[in-house]
Amino acid sequence: MAVLTFRGGVHPARNKKLTASKPAKDYYPKGDLSFPLFLHHGLHAKPVVKGGEWVSAGTLIAEAEGYVSANVHSSVAGIVKYVDFDTIVIENIGENHEEPRAINKPYEKLSKKEIIKIIRDAGIVGMGGEEGYPTHIKLSPEDPDKISYVIVNGCECEPYLTCNYRRLIEEPQKIVIGLKIVLKLFDHAMGVIAIEDDKKSAVIKIKNYISKEPRIRTKMLYTKYPQGAERQLIDSLLNMQLNSSKDIADSGCIVINVETIYAIYMAVVEGRPLISRMVTVAGDAIKEPGNFRVNIGTNAAELIEAAGGFVCPPEKIIFGGPMTGEAVMDINKPITKATNAIICLKEDPVIRVHQTNCIRCGRCMEVCPSGLIPTRLADFAALGRTDLFTANDGAECIKCGSCSYICPAKRSLAELIVSMKQMISNEYL
């Protein structure tokens, strides 16, 4: 057992075997593509195309507006069908015409400002699920000299998800070069590629490319959820406990997802904007689970068909991981920059749950990685007591759902706590 871990956490069934061993497949979309112009963080991007215009793969179709925003590029060649405030829809002509790629200098000769500009222009954001935060901002802390570690998050701790693992297995050299590019921005930082200890094959692959890299090493962490959460990852690696009042960069760390570091490589070395990503399609309702390299904007229904379709109508469909993802009713939704998985389940265990009163067992406290008392916070949330919720450190909840998972009374602890956090957050908007 690896010793690198954090307090709390849970051990849900991994359910990764079906997709972890399968090489990723390329999927080229057939139908229209839809490009949302908003992120989880920041302002909408501003459309720069109009209905009827021709675009190629890689054409800028919406530009960042404001500091916390990101460019959006078409991922296919086609004709713009319509543009509104939220979305651009492009009719896919089925031909792979690509915008001429920007020819950058070798990354070793690029200045820090040039690297940041390339990343910003490419529209790169955090690609670890719900994140969606513009990467050029994350890589521009107030004092770069205080950054001691750049951590590539390869934990992928949620059940079913294996797209990061396949990227590490299939293209380890690009991950290492992507990290070397980011390290050029921070003169005093070490690079760490963090991988859970159930992914030893990925560790071996990476080690083949870092043996002569004095500023990069890999670390194996104990397999546990939520090992990939930023605060828990830093705690495991550096024995450093952080809270919500302190920005991650203020701790001297930058944490970047595997898929994001790959996108940085593609932008800086190959001159390609962020127009595709790898997505896991899995679950017992999927006929042929797997990982797919897919264009941003592709209709999820197409991707499910590429995985063989449904073996039976699923009771639950989740975009993202089953612990933190979004349950959806309609599969006609686009793959976004932050879509790392589509999980389709024959049965929805949540709808069969019968909630009972709290039995004061304390299990939610034992597994909470932030050291909170979730049952107390849930009670305050149910009563609408924002004052008591705040006084009992409700802001420290990382929304991992470990409390709900472990609760023998099947109380919707995480749902109540997250709703209260959102309500408090909206009060400050």
Side-chain angles (χ1 to χ4, degrees), residues 58-76:
T59 298
L60 179 70
I61 57 175
E63 62 183 5
E65 189 167 31
Y67 185 56
V68 186
S69 185
N71 288 343
V72 179
H73 302 79
S74 175
S75 63
V76 294

Side-chain angles (χ1 to χ4, degrees), residues 286-424:
I286 293 292
K287 187 175 182 180
E288 299 172 7
N291 293 291
F292 297 85
R293 289 180 288 266
V294 60
N295 295 47
I296 304 298
T298 299
N299 191 311
E302 285 192 37
L303 196 55
I304 290 171
E305 284 302 312
F310 297 131
V311 296
C312 66
E315 276 192 356
K316 190 158 198 171
I317 300 171
I318 305 168
F319 274 45
M323 298 295 286
T324 61
E326 175 192 8
V328 301
M329 299 294 293
D330 183 8
I331 60 173
N332 290 295
K333 291 168 61 74
I335 301 299
T336 70
K337 297 176 182 181
T339 307
N340 57 357
I342 304 171
I343 310 300
C344 304
L345 305 175
K346 291 180 180 179
E347 296 184 353
D348 180 0
V350 176
I351 63 174
R352 291 174 172 79
V353 164
H354 175 63
Q355 294 190 39
T356 60
N357 293 330
C358 175
I359 62 173
R360 308 299 178 194
C361 66
R363 293 182 190 176
C364 62
M365 295 167 55
E366 293 173 359
V367 303
C368 178
S370 298
L372 305 175
I373 307 177
T375 184
R376 181 181 294 172
L377 292 173
D379 288 342
F380 295 149
L383 294 169
R385 292 297 302 271
T386 58
D387 55 339
L388 294 174
F389 183 89
T390 302
N392 283 268
D393 299 321
E396 300 308 315
C397 171
I398 64 168
K399 303 187 289 187
C400 68
S402 295
C403 53
S404 292
Y405 174 82
I406 206 68
C407 178
K410 305 302 180 185
R411 298 183 68 205
S412 52
L413 301 172
E415 181 181 353
L416 286 165
I417 295 168
V418 171
S419 295
M420 176 61 79
K421 282 187 58 128
Q422 186 62 53
M423 186 176 76
I424 293 172

Side-chain angles (χ1 to χ4, degrees), residues 56-105:
S56 298
T59 298
L60 179 70
I61 57 175
E63 62 183 5
E65 189 167 31
Y67 185 56
V68 186
S69 185
N71 288 343
V72 179
H73 302 79
S74 175
S75 63
V76 294
I79 298 170
V80 178
K81 290 187 74 171
Y82 71 82
V83 178
D84 62 25
F85 177 69
D86 293 316
T87 307
I88 295 175
V89 174
I90 293 177
E91 181 181 354
N92 177 19
I93 67 167
E95 297 179 19
N96 197 18
H97 294 285
E98 190 163 345
E99 191 87 356
R101 298 189 186 182
I103 301 175
N104 302 318
K105 294 183 289 188

